[in-house]
Amino acid sequence: MATRETNPNFMNGVPELLVLRLLQHEEMYGYEIVQAIRERTDAVIVFGEGVVYPVLHGLEHDGALRSRRKTVNGRSRIYYSVTAAGSRRLAALSQTWNNLATAIQSMLMGGHHAKTAS
Amino acid sequence: MATRETNPNFMNGVPELLVLRLLQHEEMYGYEIVQAIRERTDAVIVFGEGVVYPVLHGLEHDGALRSRRKTVNGRSRIYYSVTAAGSRRLAALSQTWNNLATAIQSMLMGGHHAKTAS
DNA sequence: CGATGATACCTTGTGGTTCTATGTATTGCA
DNA sequence: TGCAATACATAGAACCACAAGGTATCATCG
C-alpha cells in the first residue's frame, strides 16, 4: 500500500547504479555488462550474471531501460538503453551514492571531534 | 563448515566500520554511538539501536571489542573499546571500503572508454 | 504522585538485495 | 564429438539492516 514508507536499505542499489552508468552513453547487452564491470574495476567489483540480469529486467520493468533484440554472428543479444526515466534514476542514485561516500569518508578521516562545541 | 568461504555481500560491513572507527580513539557506549553517527554525518547515515547493538555484540564476541560496565548518574552504561584484533579489523575494513569507493568513483567519472584499445 | 520523555539496554521478525548454483542453447575450435 | 566461450534466464539461499517492540531507570512537569 501507499508508496512504500519503509527505508530502503541505504547501501543497496550499487548494481543498478553501475548498470545505468554503463548504459548511459552506449547500449550494451547483459553478458557484455558483466565483463565490463569486472574489467573496468580491475575485478574489485564482480557481479555475476545472476546479479546483472535481474537488475536489467527490473529496470526495464520500471521503465528505466528499453531493450531491443539484435542478432550478431548468429548470436541473439538483447541490447539495453536508458530512457528519460532511467536518466533521472541514474542522477538520483549518483547523488545518493555521493552523499553516502562523502559521509563515510569524513568519518574515516575526520579528527576525533572534541566535544568543545558550545 | 570451514571458515565461511562464501563471498560476504561486498557492500556490507559499513556499520562495523563506522563503529570501530568511532571507538578507535575513545571508548563509547551503544546509545552514544547511535547519536554520534547521526550527528557526525548530518543524518545522512542513521543507524538505529537495532543495528548498533548487534554489531557491538558481534564484534565483542569476535574479540574485536572489549567492554566494561560503568554506572554514571545511576545509569548503567556499557563502554566499549577496541582491542588489537579490532584495530586490525578496522584497517582491513577501511582498505576494503577504499577499494570499493575508488572503483565506483572511477566508473562514475570515467569517460565512456571507447574500445579503441588495441 | 502519576504521566511523559529522555536515557540506556536488548531481541525478534521481516524485507529486499545480492550471491551461488544451475539450466538452456548456440557458435567455434580442436 | 567434445569442450570452451558466448548469451540468456531463474531458483534457492544467505544475509544484512531495519522497524518495532520490550524492559528499566531517571528527571521533569503538572
Side-chain angles (χ1 to χ4, degrees):
Chain A
M1 317 289 157
T3 11
R4 160 93 42 86
E5 205 56 271
T6 51
N7 258 0
N9 193 340
F10 86 108
M11 286 296 291
N12 300 335
V14 171
E16 248 180 56
L17 172 61
L18 296 189
V19 165
L20 282 169
R21 168 62 180 147
L22 280 173
L23 295 173
Q24 192 179 23
H25 296 300
E26 45 171 341
E27 62 176 10
M28 296 174 77
Y29 55 98
Y31 194 79
E32 188 185 9
I33 293 173
V34 169
Q35 300 177 326
I37 292 176
R38 177 172 40 219
E39 286 166 18
R40 296 202 210 174
T41 65
D42 275 322
V44 170
I45 299 173
V46 178
F47 292 135
E49 303 170 50
V51 171
V52 170
Y53 285 118
V55 166
L56 288 171
H57 300 157
L59 286 173
E60 182 174 25
H61 177 268
D62 292 353
L65 293 182
R66 137 183 18 99
S67 70
R68 69 196 180 93
R69 178 166 245 106
K70 212 162 116 181
T71 298
V72 180
N73 293 340
R75 283 245 161 63
S76 180
R77 298 173 176 170
I78 302 175
Y79 281 87
Y80 292 89
S81 51
V82 181
T83 65
S87 261
R88 272 176 262 125
R89 184 143 167 182
L90 171 56
L93 280 173
S94 289
Q95 190 57 53
T96 299
W97 171 258
N98 260 351
N99 290 151
L100 183 69
T102 301
I104 292 177
Q105 209 57 30
S106 80
M107 288 223 49
L108 292 186
M109 306 203 302
H112 337 166
H113 94 125
K115 282 214 179 82
T116 47
S118 83
Chain B
M1 302 307 143
T3 9
R4 160 93 48 86
E5 203 58 90
T6 53
N7 256 359
N9 191 340
F10 86 108
M11 284 297 289
N12 299 335
V14 170
E16 249 180 56
L17 172 61
L18 296 189
V19 165
L20 282 169
R21 168 63 180 146
L22 281 173
L23 294 174
Q24 192 180 23
H25 295 300
E26 45 170 341
E27 62 176 10
M28 296 174 77
Y29 55 98
Y31 195 79
E32 188 184 9
I33 293 173
V34 169
Q35 301 177 325
I37 292 176
R38 178 173 41 220
E39 286 166 19
R40 296 201 209 174
T41 64
D42 275 322
V44 170
I45 298 173
V46 179
F47 291 136
E49 300 168 45
V51 171
V52 171
Y53 285 118
V55 166
L56 288 171
H57 300 156
L59 286 174
E60 181 175 27
H61 177 268
D62 292 353
L65 294 182
R66 136 184 18 99
S67 71
R68 66 194 182 95
R69 178 164 245 107
K70 212 161 118 182
T71 299
V72 180
N73 293 338
R75 287 252 160 57
S76 180
R77 297 172 176 171
I78 301 174
Y79 281 87
Y80 292 88
S81 50
V82 180
T83 65
S87 261
R88 270 176 265 128
R89 184 146 170 178
L90 171 56
L93 280 173
S94 289
Q95 190 57 53
T96 298
W97 172 257
N98 260 352
N99 289 152
L100 182 69
T102 301
I104 293 176
Q105 208 57 31
S106 79
M107 289 224 46
L108 292 186
M109 304 203 302
H112 340 162
H113 95 124
K115 282 213 179 82
T116 48
S118 82

